[in-house]
Amino acid sequence: MIVCPRCSKENQDHYKFCLGCGAELPRNSAHAPKSFSAPTPPSGIPSQGGAGSGLNRGFSSPPQAEPPAAPEPRRSFDSQPAAHPSSPALDILTCPKCGSPVPKNFKFCGSCGHPMAQSSGIPPAGVPREQPNALAATALASAVTPPRGTLVLIRPDGSEGDSVPLADSTAVGRQAGGVFAADLYLSPRHATFFFEGNQLVARDEDSLNGLYVRIDRDVPIELRDTSIFRIGQELIRFNAIAPVGTGPDGVELMGSPNPGYVGRLSLVIGRSTTGNSFPIPPQGLHLGRERGDLIFPEDGYVSGLHARIHGEHGRVFLTDVGSSNGTFVRVTGRHNVRSGDLILMGQQLFRAEY
């Protein structure tokens, strides 16, 4: 066992960080850890106990004739009794960083030192405990049940970041904490990922900024009326142009004739607000930063020639023409996610693996 030099908690020999306070443990357990005890007080009373016991000593207390009693087990913040010993699995969490098992009442992972407060749902001292909700239940289920998949964070430089385990059903959003907590473009409950058999399904939970999936290069996908897609930092809505009909009394609507436009594109600048609109001619149009019919010269995330919109047999299609950062289409309702798909939520990009 390794005794923590800061809080005197005993840890397994292979632990690198203390389970009680998160301090880095001595690399060689054969050597006694550095003592953090206070020096002998001015009154001359000698210090009692071995290394690491200074946190429990009083300067004016006489030496104890008997060893101190073992500390009482740590209790939860709501003072409820501990779980029954017959169900120890419910007291074990999985470290979201390294995957090691960690007892529920420990504040830090013993293998990597990652704080476990967010994973265990235990509030800091002085903060009242909230009622259980769906996100907390999801976190507990993912800790007890081995994950069926993961969402791997892709950093702006292309390297991989933290991984989010996916259980049978996993809710994500700011309330889920972890990598989602600091993204202000995410709704508190943004989306849900769940499995139907071996198929991973993503469902948008009416989030403000939406859930987007990257489309394949050079593979046209059909756009429906009010479909929204994203290139770079630009959000664009497609609207079909309905044929002009006649009124109930047979009177035709007056207006300029349609030269064959198959729809229009509008820049989305708010939940129900759009900016400039652009008609889609019969031959279609291209979008890009340097070339095309619709260009975004100030958006460095848009490729020189990024995507194409065209009509065919009364339908309208969107095609990524080989952009560097991809073209993403917003999910409406639910979407079957393939392993390896790139998913955009808020300002973060994830790769689904299962």
Side-chain angles (χ1 to χ4, degrees), residues 115-334:
M116 296 297 297
Q118 293 179 343
S119 301
S120 61
I122 300 177
V127 178
R129 187 170 185 170
E130 297 181 354
Q131 294 297 325
N133 53 35
L135 293 176
T138 298
L140 178 60
S142 62
V144 176
T145 306
R148 300 187 59 183
T150 55
L151 292 178
V152 181
L153 177 66
I154 307 299
R155 299 190 181 100
D157 62 0
S159 61
E160 295 183 359
D162 294 340
S163 295
V164 180
L166 296 177
D168 289 336
S169 180
T170 304
V172 300
R174 286 205 321 278
Q175 287 182 354
V179 298
F180 306 106
D183 192 338
L184 298 181
Y185 290 93
L186 290 175
S187 297
R189 186 185 178 97
H190 198 93
T192 301
F193 292 85
F194 58 94
F195 283 88
E196 291 184 344
N198 294 325
Q199 176 64 59
L200 177 62
V201 181
R203 181 179 64 228
D204 182 79
E205 300 294 352
D206 194 29
S207 62
L208 178 63
N209 293 311
L211 168 73
Y212 293 80
V213 177
R214 183 171 179 171
I215 65 175
D216 295 330
R217 174 179 178 177
D218 296 326
V219 178
I221 62 108
E222 184 176 2
L223 293 177
R224 306 287 185 179
D225 187 35
T226 70
S227 291
I228 296 177
F229 61 94
R230 177 171 174 171
I231 61 172
Q233 297 288 349
E234 313 301 326
L235 295 181
I236 304 172
R237 175 185 289 117
F238 165 76
N239 289 104
I241 297 180
V244 178
T246 58
D249 53 1
V251 177
E252 294 189 0
L253 180 66
M254 182 179 294
S256 302
N258 184 354
Y261 295 141
V262 298
R264 70 172 178 270
L265 301 178
S266 301
L267 302 183
V268 177
I269 58 177
R271 183 157 192 163
S272 57
T273 307
T274 56
N276 294 338
S277 295
F278 308 90
I280 305 174
Q283 69 274 17
L285 52 79
H286 285 83
L287 301 86
R289 190 182 72 252
E290 300 171 350
R291 295 178 291 149
D293 307 283
L294 181 57
I295 61 174
F296 304 92
E298 297 180 358
D299 192 334
Y301 294 96
V302 176
S303 295
L305 187 63
H306 199 107
R308 179 191 177 206
I309 305 285
H310 69 282
E312 185 176 336
H313 304 298
R315 302 158 66 189
V316 179
F317 295 89
L318 168 67
T319 306
D320 183 278
V321 296
S323 65
S324 299
N325 295 312
T327 301
F328 294 80
V329 175
R330 183 167 183 169
V331 172
T332 55
R334 46 180 286 161

Side-chain angles (χ1 to χ4, degrees), residues 12-195:
Q12 296 293 332
D13 291 339
H14 63 278
Y15 285 178
K16 299 179 181 178
F17 299 87
C18 177
L19 294 176
C21 67
E24 185 173 1
L25 296 173
R27 297 299 181 184
N28 188 354
S29 60
H31 294 84
K34 182 180 178 181
S35 174
F36 280 78
S37 59
T40 302
S43 60
I45 297 177
S47 299
Q48 302 295 325
S53 61
L55 295 178
N56 297 322
R57 290 198 298 266
F59 292 134
S60 61
S61 299
Q64 296 183 0
E66 298 179 357
E72 295 185 359
R74 183 179 300 175
R75 299 196 175 190
S76 60
F77 284 86
D78 56 3
S79 299
Q80 295 296 327
H84 195 275
S86 61
S87 57
L90 295 178
D91 292 331
I92 301 297
L93 299 179
T94 300
C95 175
K97 186 173 183 180
C98 70
S100 300
V102 182
K104 184 178 180 180
N105 61 334
F106 290 159
K107 297 179 180 180
F108 301 89
C109 172
S111 298
C112 67
H114 182 75
M116 296 297 297
Q118 293 179 343
S119 301
S120 61
I122 300 177
V127 178
R129 187 170 185 170
E130 297 181 354
Q131 294 297 325
N133 53 35
L135 293 176
T138 298
L140 178 60
S142 62
V144 176
T145 306
R148 300 187 59 183
T150 55
L151 292 178
V152 181
L153 177 66
I154 307 299
R155 299 190 181 100
D157 62 0
S159 61
E160 295 183 359
D162 294 340
S163 295
V164 180
L166 296 177
D168 289 336
S169 180
T170 304
V172 300
R174 286 205 321 278
Q175 287 182 354
V179 298
F180 306 106
D183 192 338
L184 298 181
Y185 290 93
L186 290 175
S187 297
R189 186 185 178 97
H190 198 93
T192 301
F193 292 85
F194 58 94
F195 283 88

